[in-house]
Structure formats: structure tokens, C-alpha cells
Amino acid sequence: MNPPATLPRWTQRTTPWTPPLVPEDLADVLAKARQWTPFDGEGLLDDVGAVLDDVVPLEEDLEDHARRLRGHLMRLVDIAIAAEVGQKDVEADRLIQQARDLRAHDLPGDHRQAVGQLRQMAWSVNELLERLAAIKCLKEAA
């Protein structure tokens, strides 16, 4: 019978592992990961269609539409900035600036003016989505 084989011992010194982030930063990363939602192209198009439809949105639904459209604008701008699209494409840069401007404005108190602003936001969402798809920044929309 043969004696059991022995494994070579590790003789080099190694430095102890240190985490790349402190616990507070890790907690922040975890919180952001939990808040993340995937891009929803169908939901975006549904919201754009609801605002651009021939039927004028009801007054009690305007704030909800505005909140969702602002979210879509923010998501598309974030995607464009992460891909550095604004630096490569003049039209995309213009649409990014337009989206930022529209997002910053509150809805007016007048129902007709609020619907007009919502429709501007919806057109901006649609145009930015189409531009990002045309330059192959979004796979889902392409």
C-alpha cells in the first residue's frame, strides 16, 4: 500500500483581503440596487399613448401622467448620458437638453395648459426614445 500523498505548503506571504467599500458605502449601493427597476419600453409607450390620445386626460389624472412621464424622461436621459450619446450625436444632445427643461417645470394650474405641457413631455419622451433606438443605444426599442 502506498503512503498518502502530501500537498505542497503555501510559503508566500499574502496581504489580508480588505473590502473595496466601507459598510456605509455598501449599504448605499444595496439601497440603490433595491430601488432599480428595469427599462419598461411597453409601459413607456403606453404612457405616451395615453397622453397623446385623442381623448384628453382627466384633470385628476394629470399629476399621475406627469410623474410617470418625468420618470421616463429621467430614465432615457440617464441611459443617454451613461452611453455618452450627447457627446457623439448633436440631435440626441438637443433632445437631452429639451427633456431636462421639460422635467424641471411644474404643471400649470389651467387644465388646457397642463394637457399641453403633458403632450410636450410625451413627444419629448417619444423623440428621445426613437433617437436612442436609431443610434443603437437601446436594444429593446431597436
Side-chain angles (χ1 to χ4, degrees):
M1 185 160 152
N2 293 335
T6 58
L7 296 174
R9 291 191 148 270
W10 187 264
T11 59
Q12 290 181 327
R13 285 267 185 212
T14 59
T15 57
W17 179 81
T18 57
L21 298 172
V22 295
E24 295 80 23
D25 291 341
L26 284 172
D28 188 41
V29 169
L30 179 61
K32 288 179 181 180
R34 286 181 175 158
Q35 291 174 353
W36 178 80
T37 56
F39 177 72
D40 181 13
E42 286 183 33
L44 179 146
L45 293 174
D46 288 345
D47 291 339
V48 167
V51 171
L52 295 178
D53 193 7
D54 290 339
V55 178
V56 176
L58 300 173
E59 191 163 353
E60 58 265 13
D61 296 335
L62 295 181
E63 282 298 328
D64 190 42
H65 286 301
R67 181 187 52 76
R68 288 198 312 269
L69 288 174
R70 284 188 186 104
H72 294 310
L73 284 171
M74 184 173 66
R75 173 70 55 94
L76 291 174
V77 167
D78 287 347
I79 290 169
I81 289 172
E84 298 179 349
V85 170
Q87 298 170 0
K88 302 171 191 171
D89 187 85
V90 176
E91 179 63 13
D93 187 49
R94 182 189 69 77
L95 291 170
I96 290 168
Q97 294 307 317
Q98 179 183 15
R100 286 177 170 163
D101 291 343
L102 287 171
R103 256 192 78 234
H105 290 50
D106 291 331
L107 284 181
D110 181 61
H111 183 257
R112 284 184 2 174
Q113 290 177 347
V115 169
Q117 185 172 333
L118 278 178
R119 289 186 171 173
Q120 283 180 325
M121 286 174 37
W123 274 113
S124 183
V125 167
N126 191 54
E127 287 179 346
L128 186 54
L129 175 71
E130 286 180 358
R131 188 67 198 153
L132 294 177
I135 58 178
K136 308 226 184 302
C137 184
L138 283 176
K139 293 178 184 177
E140 182 175 316

